[in-house]
Amino acid sequence: MNMLKNKRFFRTAKANRALLLLPFILIVLLFIIIPLFLIIYKSFAPVDNLSFTENWAFIDNYIWGKILQSFLIALLATIICIGISYPFAMFLTFNIRSKNLKAIVVVLVTAPIWMSFLVKIVGLKTTFDLINGTQNSTFGDIYTVIGLVYIYLPFMILPLYNVLSEMPKNLIFASKDLGRSNAATFFYVILPYTFTALAAGVTLVFLPALTTVAVPQFMNGSSSGSMIGDIIMGWGADGQTNELSLARASTLSLVILLLILISYLLYVIGIKIYKKTKNKWFSRGIV
């Protein structure tokens, strides 16, 4: 009798877990799998009786240059966000003891997230125009980088602060007692402890910055200031009346996706090589 009750209980539990997973499965299906399938289909489907190679023929040196430019701008913006976020999060965690003051600072840091994306960009550009003394005075990729840092900095600060606020202070005290400097404590204790949060912050900053739209158009007035996201957006808008433009927008989106996946695989391989090398160094007493 008890065995039958246990079997019924486990069956009910499995059914409940399946029901709980159903919304997640539907979201993944509707917003990830189906759109990805449509992008792949549009990239390889012939348009106007032309070969599907016409969907890929536009990828030339200009497009590769824009992709490289976008990668470098997004990478620079991400590095700057890391350089600002770590000192800020560490100061907020270790140097401010008042919980109320910490809460106020966190609210101020997250305040830009609450505002409209377009309002923030227009406000930042207007500020630079006032400083420079003329309208439309922002020329160069540096202004695009500043705009990206301004928009995505909170997404780097918050994960680091949340992890640092939960970090046991004994780890830092032990490192100091062993004679390590502040820099050594950061690289050997704090950085490994917050590595997961750092990876989350890099993902939240780098990927949106790579395919951002509007920011280069507003912040960089030069003719070569557009990024790859602007090109995809332009072709996507033309795709409402032109099937070939829609196919090329899908193709370029697929290329960017493949490059991101390749970069992620290289990152994973690099981390594994680093860990194996580090273990060998430890075993040999080098580190």
Side-chain angles (χ1 to χ4, degrees):
M1 191 70 178
N2 290 333
M3 291 182 64
L4 290 175
K5 289 183 178 180
N6 290 335
K7 288 183 178 179
R8 290 175 182 174
F9 172 78
F10 285 118
R11 289 176 182 174
T12 304
K14 289 181 179 179
N16 291 335
R17 285 197 293 269
L19 289 175
L20 290 174
L21 286 174
L22 184 60
F24 173 77
I25 294 172
L26 290 176
I27 290 174
V28 171
L29 183 65
L30 291 176
F31 296 104
I32 297 179
I33 296 178
I34 293 178
L36 182 59
F37 172 78
L38 292 175
I39 288 174
I40 296 173
Y41 172 76
K42 285 291 183 181
S43 299
F44 291 96
V47 178
D48 297 332
N49 297 324
L50 299 174
S51 173
F52 78 91
T53 56
E54 291 295 325
N55 301 348
W56 296 76
F58 72 96
I59 300 181
D60 52 12
N61 292 335
Y62 173 78
I63 295 297
W64 286 117
K66 282 298 177 182
I67 293 174
L68 178 61
Q69 179 188 9
S70 301
F71 262 90
L72 293 177
I73 289 175
L75 181 62
L76 180 57
T78 304
I79 292 173
I80 294 175
C81 285
I82 293 173
I84 296 174
S85 299
Y86 258 115
F88 183 86
M90 290 173 63
F91 178 82
L92 183 61
T93 303
F94 302 127
N95 295 85
I96 298 180
R97 296 184 178 181
S98 173
K99 293 184 178 180
N100 294 330
L101 183 58
K102 286 184 178 181
I104 292 173
V105 173
V106 170
V107 169
L108 292 175
V109 168
T110 58
I113 302 176
W114 309 343
M115 294 186 293
S116 168
F117 178 90
L118 186 60
V119 170
K120 289 186 289 185
I121 291 300
V122 172
L124 184 62
K125 178 175 173 52
T126 304
T127 301
F128 278 111
D129 288 340
L130 290 174
I131 294 173
N132 296 329
T134 58
Q135 291 184 346
N136 299 323
S137 61
T138 55
F139 293 90
D141 291 334
I142 185 62
Y143 288 102
T144 302
V145 173
I146 293 173
L148 293 174
V149 171
Y150 171 67
I151 291 173
Y152 296 116
L153 183 61
F155 297 101
M156 183 69 73
I157 292 177
L158 290 178
L160 293 176
Y161 170 70
N162 289 334
V163 173
L164 284 171
S165 62
E166 300 295 331
M167 181 180 181
K169 306 303 184 293
N170 294 337
L171 297 176
I172 298 176
F173 296 149
S175 178
K176 295 292 183 63
D177 291 340
L178 292 173
R180 283 179 173 169
S181 62
N182 291 331
T185 299
F186 173 79
F187 284 106
Y188 285 98
V189 179
I190 297 177
L191 185 60
Y193 190 89
T194 59
F195 186 79
T196 303
L198 176 62
V202 169
T203 303
L204 292 173
V205 173
F206 179 77
L207 294 183
L210 174 63
T211 56
T212 188
V213 295
V215 176
Q217 295 176 351
F218 276 96
M219 296 302 299
N220 188 354
S222 62
S223 58
S224 61
S226 62
M227 292 175 62
I228 201 66
D230 297 314
I231 297 176
I232 296 174
M233 184 68 179
W235 277 332
D238 293 339
Q240 297 179 3
T241 57
N242 190 332
E243 283 291 330
L244 184 59
S245 294
L246 182 59
R248 290 184 171 181
S250 301
T251 300
L252 190 52
S253 300
L254 183 60
V255 169
I256 297 298
L257 175 61
L258 292 175
L259 290 175
I260 291 173
L261 290 176
I262 291 172
S263 300
Y264 177 74
L265 290 175
L266 292 175
Y267 162 77
V268 172
I269 294 172
I271 290 296
K272 290 184 178 180
I273 293 174
Y274 168 75
K275 288 182 178 179
K276 290 182 179 180
T277 306
K278 187 178 179 180
N279 292 334
K280 289 181 180 179
W281 287 350
F282 271 111
S283 62
R284 297 175 182 177
I286 299 177
V287 180

